[in-house]
Amino acid sequence: MPLQRELLQTKLLLKKNLLVSIRSWVSTLVEILSPAFFILILLIISKSPSPMSSLQRPAINYDSNIPICTPYVQDNCVTLLYSPSNSTLVNELMQLLAEINSPQLNISTNINQTGAVVPMYSVDDMNDFIANNPNVTMAAVEFQSFPENFTDTHHNDPILHKFSNLIMYNVLWNATCPNFINPKTCIDYAVPVNAAIHKAIHTYQARRKLGVLILGGGGGGGAPLPNDSTIPSITFSTSTFPLYDASLNAVGTYGCLFFYCGSMISFIFLMYKVSFEKEKHLKQGMIMMGLNGSVYFVSWFITCLVINVLLTLITIGVGAACQFSFFLSTNFFVNFLTFFLYILCMTQVAFFILTFIQSTKAAIGIGMTIFIVGSIIQLIFSLMSTFLFQILYETDNTSSLTARVILYVLPMYHFSKIVTDINQVTLLSKFTGVRFDWSNLYANLNSPTATNVNIPSTYESLVNLLILSIGYTVLAWYFEHIVPGNDGTSQPPWFFLLPSYWGISKKTPKFVEPPHFDQDILDEIEKANDPNNQAPVIIRGLSKTYHNMFNSKKDVKAVRYLSLSIEKGSVLCLLGHNGSGKSTTIGMLTGLISPSSGDAMIFGKSVISEIDQVRKQTSVCPQHDILWNQMSAYEHLELFAELKGIDKSLRKQCIDDALESVRLTRVAKNQITSYSGGMKRRLSIAIATIGDPNIIFFDEPTGSLDVASRRHIWNLIKEIKKDKVIILTTHLMDEADMLSDRIIILNHGVMACNGNSLQLKHKYGNGYSVNIIAKSQDHIPEIKSFMNNILPNSKLIMESADYLNFGIPLNTDETILQKFFKTLEELSTQENNPIRDFAVSQASIDDVFLNVTKLKHE
Ligand SMILES: Nc1ncnc2c1ncn2[C@@H]1O[C@H](COP(=O)(O)OP(=O)(O)OP(=O)(O)O)[C@@H](O)[C@H]1O
């Protein structure tokens, strides 16, 4: 049941992600609470006085309303006069003003209706009325500039367009209030009238942009105003629109930036977390242990979705708690989609970028750069808001088209567009009551004209974020296949066209002609190619070339025509210099690296076409520990036991046995941050042995262990090899000598020799090895000539500073050897002896290794 297996693996990795997040709770909290942090900064900014306040006019208190007048000279009074009455815009504005004022005012041409708002044809009519009816009118508004089409004029010139939207008016109020004597009833009309006009204009704009009915109420009637002989004294002020108070300004000016910052911290965290697992080869290690590569990404994607939902809810919750109308006056789902889709899109951008990055340093660097560049973009959009969109969509010339295309692929552009749209509508909604609802998503909030109708609506911007999320997911998936990862393998750019990729047909191995080999190796090749060979591991012509994308001359032939078979119950040791192809061989046998040619059969299953079946039989202890610092040894073993499909009833026993075998029982529950390098290595070895695999690959298993631990692991390997195949790579010759049933030395990717320890010592060993330390480097020539004279068939194997190593063939005449030893002893008593110290030993694997690799070099 492959799907069931994948679901189980996804569950396991989610559990691992949860565990790691809980254990590193400080960074998890920082990540989750980052939006709250930025919104709180916005709150502080909104509460603190603006640094520009001394240069600005005082903010308007939008909470104040125009009180309905109370007659104090005559029986009736007029709350407000306005002119001109022949302007549709002015009339609509004043009706709106009357409607949203609390208490609601009545527009009436009947000047006898107490408290009415009365339209006047012109400013002269208004002045006449005031002069003829002293102390009847509380206030008056004279509109001086009122572009009839308000938001639609002068679109071709953005600067003119800005000014054409300007409404200018004078507010006049009656300063002769006789109640000055009684200040309680004498009310200042100037401030509330000014604020009411602001509110009315803003509501007008918002309703008009959203396409909702501008007027919802108003009207009324009343009794005629009586005359009075008192001469009114009128004072006036002039005001322009708009003028917001500081708290509204904060969201309007910095909202884009701070909401963006809050959503971007998780992006940087994601870049770090995924690149960390890549850098530490954790993903590779898990794949070698049977993990499906796509499950790895699915598990990260689900983890990100959960974090994304949390971040979105926290953003909306904290924003609403701070009383920002951006959140309070916007439909919850619109707010939710804004943040959710943006963070989702940035998650996919992170996965896309990570396909090209192998190290955490690079990932954090790029993440921070995107964060900073994005912040600058947000700030520009915050400050220029709709103005910038107008310029961008004003014309369809090449430069604006190019700018639009570039901006289109940036998720932050769409985010700032949506935030600006919502801001435009909700900025004053506390006073105007206008909300940004689901149905308003389609409205064009940017004064469309014939030329700039293309400005996307809020809905289109949300859809664009979704399209980008899907686009970046596809790109991440595609480049993940074709960009060589740190395992160096990649698929051809057309991989998705290959039936084998989709499992429709099986991959077929490619075989090439073998290079020239010695007879013993040719015998082994013949054995491996024998169709009757029943060995559990049969490798046939396995080769790997790492191609250089830019220069084929720099291609690396890491392994060339490796052919051999390995019997059950044996340890095969792969020796070789650094870079000789050992890890590549293990990578190919575990399906991590795809061979360039050849194939290997593991218990009859091909590593090319049946890797899933192969992985059920194999286990790996890679060169790099596959460990998470936040998890304990027990949790690691539990994870891998489940990954290997060990039955729940047997799991605990298996884990306890594995811990016991590497002597980690006592510290099993401790997080591995407290472990030494050796302890971590022992845990990696325990992980490799769990689940009783038939074949275990040990890639330099004891490199970082002390002598005692190393001996312990050797005993362990000897014990477990009985019914298994062990393939071991090492640089330690005594380890190879002690453990191996067969040794293969790789030299520049080519099999240079093959046989057991004794056979190799006999064939390639020096018989005896003579190590000589000269008194000084000046004595080296003297010692060399001494050796040449006394033992002409000796061979210099190694020379380093004052150290010389000679090999003496096994078949050397015994009398010559005796003479040699005697001369050495005599020399040691002489004063001019060039030798400080010497030792003679029998041939070792070291000699074999040096001889073989040197021979093949020559
Ligand atoms: N991802 C890769 N891309 C390109 N070349 C690579 C890649 N991985 C390995 N090589 C090259 O392939 C050759 C064999 O490398 P490999 O790691 O298999 O050697 P090794 O014997 O395991 O070395 P070591 O003992 O240092 O681990 C080396 O020349 C190495 O530089």
Side-chain angles (χ1 to χ4, degrees), residues 558-571:
V559 176
R560 282 189 275 174
Y561 210 87
L562 185 67
S563 293
L564 59 115
S565 59
I566 313 168
E567 300 302 329
K568 204 170 182 174
S570 65
V571 175

Side-chain angles (χ1 to χ4, degrees), residues 486-488 546 556 558 577-584 623 700 731:
N486 44 16
D487 54 9
Y546 292 109
V556 179
H577 284 297
N578 290 115
S580 58
K582 303 179 297 293
S583 300
T584 304
Q623 221 176 79
E700 296 176 28
H731 285 293

Side-chain angles (χ1 to χ4, degrees), residues 814-832:
E814 218 160 286
T815 49
I816 299 178
L817 280 176
Q818 278 168 4
K819 188 178 160 205
F820 168 64
F821 289 129
K822 207 170 158 209
T823 320
L824 276 178
E825 267 165 36
E826 279 169 15
L827 261 178
S828 61
T829 56
Q830 291 171 17
E831 209 167 288
N832 59 349

